[in-house]
Amino acid sequence: MRLAKFLPSAALAMLTALPVLAQSSPPPIPGRPEAVPPLLRGKPPAPEPNNPPARPFHDSRYGVSFTIPPAWNINHRDGEVSTFNLDARNAAHTAQLRAVASISFNPHPYSTFSGALFYFSVTPHVTANQCAAQASARAPHTVGSLQIAGVPFTHGYDEHGSICTESRDEIYTTERNDACYRFDAVINNFCGGDVSGVQDISERELDDVRRRMQSILNTVRFDN
């Protein structure tokens, strides 16, 4: 027992824990991988923040509302959290930014994800064809159509980046009351993850961010 007083405290702790590890780990079963002892298992992911809480957005002038998810911020002026004409590159120069919701945390901190933004803008005095063209101006990107709250929208996309896709913008436009109503769901990434010590964002992680953006789009409502 004299050996104990010469051992470092960390070694003593491990010796003390060995019986616990042996008791808590079931005996190995032939043909199956051995179970990882509880003390050696990874920690579960930290819970996502929920502040600020979910809350509604309503634009009384144009009769549009949607729900802002928990831990997302809302701004009404361009330049406070982003630059609209850099993210929505083919929006008309007369477009009026009405609101932008931005995620306030990184759901994938070990990836190259750098931000997600949901824009609502309106361009007055635009025809239906001009409005639809905003979603298809970057040929040959495919364009489709879908219903949002019972209203038909044109859906296209724009993306850019040299080494990687630095930004992708899912574009949704519809003409209402002589104006073009437009939603942009923008996902931003940075290139060079191998240099900065993180991994390029995976398809699974991208799908997760897309679902978050889609959940906002699913709450869009029109006053009439």
Side-chain angles (χ1 to χ4, degrees):
M1 296 301 293
R2 292 181 180 177
L3 182 62
K5 65 180 182 180
F6 297 106
L7 292 174
S9 58
L12 286 174
M14 286 300 297
L15 288 174
T16 306
L18 284 175
V20 177
L21 292 175
Q23 293 174 8
S24 58
S25 300
I29 300 175
R32 294 187 183 180
E34 293 188 27
V36 178
L39 294 180
L40 300 181
R41 294 172 188 169
K43 294 182 179 180
E48 291 188 355
N50 53 17
N51 266 329
R55 60 239 187 255
F57 162 82
H58 182 246
D59 187 324
S60 58
R61 178 175 179 180
Y62 289 102
V64 171
S65 61
F66 54 84
T67 300
I68 305 160
W72 284 62
N73 297 319
I74 185 75
N75 294 85
H76 302 275
R77 293 182 180 178
D78 192 20
E80 292 185 350
V81 296
S82 62
T83 304
F84 176 62
N85 63 3
L86 294 181
D87 282 331
R89 300 191 303 168
N90 62 356
H93 71 277
T94 54
Q96 302 171 3
L97 177 66
R98 305 298 298 174
V100 53
S102 57
I103 193 167
S104 66
F105 67 100
N106 189 343
H108 305 292
Y110 302 107
S111 75
T112 52
F113 172 78
S114 63
L117 305 110
F118 183 85
Y119 291 97
F120 167 50
S121 62
V122 175
T123 305
H125 312 303
V126 172
T127 66
N129 287 338
Q130 290 171 330
C131 184
Q134 290 190 26
S136 57
R138 299 278 174 175
H141 294 174
T142 56
V143 176
S145 60
L146 76 166
Q147 298 268 326
I148 299 177
V151 176
F153 272 74
T154 302
H155 174 214
Y157 75 94
D158 179 31
E159 61 182 21
H160 62 88
S162 53
I163 301 175
C164 70
T165 301
E166 297 177 19
S167 180
R168 176 166 173 128
D169 178 14
E170 299 289 338
I171 308 165
Y172 306 87
T173 64
T174 191
E175 189 273 333
R176 288 172 62 84
N177 304 319
D178 195 33
C180 185
Y181 287 46
R182 173 172 172 147
F183 298 102
D184 291 87
V186 179
I187 300 176
N188 290 325
N189 308 290
F190 64 90
C191 301
D194 52 342
V195 177
S196 56
V198 296
Q199 298 293 321
D200 290 340
I201 190 167
S202 66
E203 278 301 315
R204 179 186 60 81
E205 292 167 331
L206 277 173
D207 285 342
D208 171 69
V209 180
R210 293 184 188 113
R211 283 192 294 269
R212 296 170 188 267
M213 307 286 267
Q214 185 64 42
S215 70
I216 304 176
L217 196 66
N218 291 343
T219 67
V220 169
R221 296 293 181 270
F222 300 93
D223 290 353
N224 49 52

